[in-house]
Amino acid sequence: MTPEPAPTLSQLLAFYLEAGVDCALSEEPVDRLSDSRPTEALKAASVAGEAIAARMLRSAPAPVAPASDPLPAPDAAIATAREAARTASSLEILREMLEKFDGCALKSTATRLVFADGNPNARIMFVGEAPGRDEDIEGLPFVGRSGKLLDRMIAAIGLDRTKVYIANVIPWRPPGNRTPTPQETQICLPFIQRQIELVDPEILVTLGNPSTQTLLSTREGIMKTRGRWLNYDTGTRVIRAMATFHPAYLLRSPSYKRLSWQDLRAISKALAHITS
Ligand code: URA
């Protein structure tokens, strides 16, 4: 059988990109082939021939990343998250808890925690889905292209990041920006719920479908939910909530900016009403 030709560098990069690998995880490359397995196998080959080496290669454990504590079962992780979040008496403590929390696999692939940006005393809070690549690098939500659009949307109603609070349902970047699994969302949910409770805004704005469906407990799509006043119940208080399009969606479908402007105007009006 003729061996397949080795892939060219550009083919390899295209393959990585398609698989969702769009940034390096560390500064230095890791030589996964330098573990003891092939060396032992080679030694065996010289002593006892290829057959033994082949058997060793087959039976030896595959090379794996350095051992770390196994993740707890999802139900246990959700229960731990609930318990931890419930006892967080301030946003700082909640952030520390998240830094220490090991129940969500996304933490191990993300560069850092993306907790929040803006003013913790703001009267309005925006919640997106999960950090992307730029947010993962900077440790702040909505700093990439869609973040720039969010800044412009906020500016359009006379606000900026000193007057709003911004967070995500998931505080770690999913690898390759894949959609978070329902389990990952459920594990992170108690933390964002507590974050909303601690910020205690007058108005909560959910950005896009995933954040809306998760926080406002609806199965309806964003086309139906956007622009309507809904209730977000913290358990101790009901907060007025509105869903609107995610800025990343608006970048792809600019014709919906008109509707998002309507939502922003309704939000601005409600804010003015609450102030007076
Ligand atoms: N998209 C999100 O939902 N959140 C971010 O922080 C960035 C992009």
Side-chain angles (χ1 to χ4, degrees):
M1 204 172 76
T2 3
E4 295 224 349
T8 63
L9 197 55
S10 59
Q11 281 172 328
L12 195 60
L13 286 175
F15 168 78
Y16 281 153
L17 209 57
E18 205 171 301
V21 181
D22 57 4
C23 68
L25 281 180
S26 63
E27 291 294 320
E28 299 295 327
V30 179
D31 183 359
R32 304 250 177 237
L33 300 177
S34 72
D35 77 343
S36 57
R37 197 175 62 120
T39 321
E40 291 304 314
L42 280 175
K43 266 193 223 149
S46 64
V47 175
E50 269 189 5
I52 297 173
R55 237 181 293 140
M56 282 187 72
L57 276 170
R58 273 199 303 274
S59 60
V64 285
S68 56
D69 289 341
L71 281 174
D75 284 352
I78 295 171
T80 311
R82 282 203 188 121
E83 186 50 28
R86 198 177 58 78
T87 57
S89 54
S90 70
L91 288 168
E92 294 71 38
I93 293 174
L94 189 68
R95 177 199 277 265
E96 280 166 25
M97 278 177 171
L98 270 165
E99 294 280 10
K100 289 190 199 127
F101 182 69
D102 280 326
C104 181
L106 294 176
K107 184 181 180 181
S108 60
T109 48
T111 311
R112 55 178 57 81
L113 175 74
V114 177
F115 184 67
D117 195 18
N119 184 347
N121 299 314
R123 294 183 310 127
I124 179 162
M125 175 168 178
F126 292 83
V127 184
E129 182 185 17
R133 181 168 170 265
D134 297 307
E135 291 75 22
D136 181 62
I137 292 169
E138 285 200 35
L140 290 171
F142 285 99
V143 290
R145 265 187 83 219
S146 59
K148 300 280 175 282
L149 178 54
L150 179 62
D151 285 345
R152 293 208 298 280
M153 290 161 68
I154 292 170
I157 51 169
L159 303 173
D160 60 30
R161 287 193 187 220
T162 65
K163 299 193 187 83
V164 305
Y165 187 82
I166 306 172
N168 282 306
V169 170
I170 309 269
W172 294 284
R173 181 201 184 198
N177 293 350
R178 68 157 169 76
T179 302
T181 65
Q183 257 172 17
E184 287 159 354
T185 302
Q186 287 310 308
I187 291 169
C188 295
L189 184 57
F191 293 107
I192 183 66
Q193 285 174 329
R194 184 68 180 142
Q195 206 169 348
I196 297 169
E197 198 179 355
L198 288 166
V199 175
D200 195 23
E202 302 290 351
I203 292 176
L204 174 70
V205 182
T206 53
L207 298 166
N209 234 346
S211 157
T212 302
Q213 292 187 336
T214 305
L215 293 175
L216 303 181
S217 311
T218 172
R219 307 205 70 167
E220 284 188 323
I222 193 72
M223 291 297 172
K224 285 216 168 137
T225 47
R226 62 142 285 274
R228 287 178 13 207
W229 286 110
L230 299 165
N231 286 335
Y232 177 84
D233 194 346
T234 65
T236 50
R237 176 169 115 78
V238 174
I239 295 173
R240 296 187 83 191
M242 184 178 282
T244 193
F245 296 114
H246 193 288
Y249 180 74
L250 294 175
L251 286 172
R252 292 193 301 272
S253 315
S255 60
Y256 287 106
K257 283 185 185 171
R258 193 176 54 83
L259 291 177
S260 109
W261 175 231
Q262 284 179 11
D263 303 345
L264 287 166
R265 281 198 3 215
I267 290 165
S268 175
K269 219 165 131 187
L271 264 184
H273 186 72
I274 293 165
T275 319
S276 55

